[in-house]
Amino acid sequence: MYKISEVAKITGFSIPTLRYYEELGISAPAKNKSGYREYSEADIEWLRFIQRLKQTGMALETIKKYSELRSQGNQTIEKRMKLLATQKKRLLSERRKIDDHLAFLETKQTTYKQMLADREQ
């Protein structure tokens, strides 16, 4: 079992963020007799998963929905898969935009290289 300060170091989430996630119902660490949070390995793995979802740009509200579905058990797997698929579509759309921006810059660089080569002749 891990204290909240240890989990903050392990995951990179701040202590206030960990408390906020608990308040939202995204995480649910056990509490000991004194009322202190005790995180398990499973809790830490779940927080790492949340961290990855955040890194994909998934909104906290969607992560909360995913967490709610997860807590309802395996009968919600299809709904969770849909949330992941929606996020994947968003990322692919962003990738296409970035690819378009890169192509624009490469085209402009090619133009300038040609202009420099023409100038040297």
Side-chain angles (χ1 to χ4, degrees):
M1 299 304 269
Y2 299 88
K3 294 186 231 174
I4 194 168
S5 59
E6 295 169 315
V7 173
K9 288 177 186 170
I10 291 168
T11 63
F13 286 127
S14 68
I15 291 173
T17 296
L18 292 169
R19 288 182 179 139
Y20 182 60
Y21 288 173
E22 184 180 353
E23 183 182 311
L24 290 177
I26 291 173
S27 71
K31 295 201 177 171
N32 65 20
K33 293 176 187 173
S34 302
Y36 292 106
R37 292 166 184 84
E38 291 185 332
Y39 290 83
S40 67
E41 287 290 337
D43 292 325
I44 291 171
E45 286 305 311
W46 172 239
L47 288 167
R48 285 183 175 138
F49 182 75
I50 291 168
Q51 195 169 46
R52 288 303 305 265
L53 291 178
K54 286 181 60 66
Q55 289 169 351
T56 71
M58 185 179 279
L60 195 54
E61 190 60 38
T62 306
I63 293 172
K64 181 179 177 187
K65 175 73 173 164
Y66 187 99
S67 180
E68 291 167 356
L69 291 169
R70 177 182 176 255
S71 69
Q72 294 171 25
N74 288 344
Q75 69 270 20
T76 65
I77 287 174
E78 289 178 354
K79 290 179 181 178
R80 286 183 270 165
M81 286 176 63
K82 285 181 184 177
L83 290 176
L84 296 176
T86 299
Q87 189 61 24
K88 182 179 179 181
K89 285 179 189 175
R90 284 189 187 114
L91 287 173
L92 290 171
S93 175
E94 287 298 313
R95 180 196 283 174
R96 283 189 292 276
K97 288 177 190 175
I98 290 170
D99 287 344
D100 287 345
H101 295 319
L102 288 169
F104 164 76
L105 293 173
E106 289 169 2
T107 300
K108 195 62 174 173
Q109 285 178 314
T110 301
T111 300
Y112 285 145
K113 286 177 186 175
Q114 186 59 51
M115 288 171 72
L116 286 173
D118 292 346
R119 191 173 73 178
E120 292 175 5
Q121 292 179 358

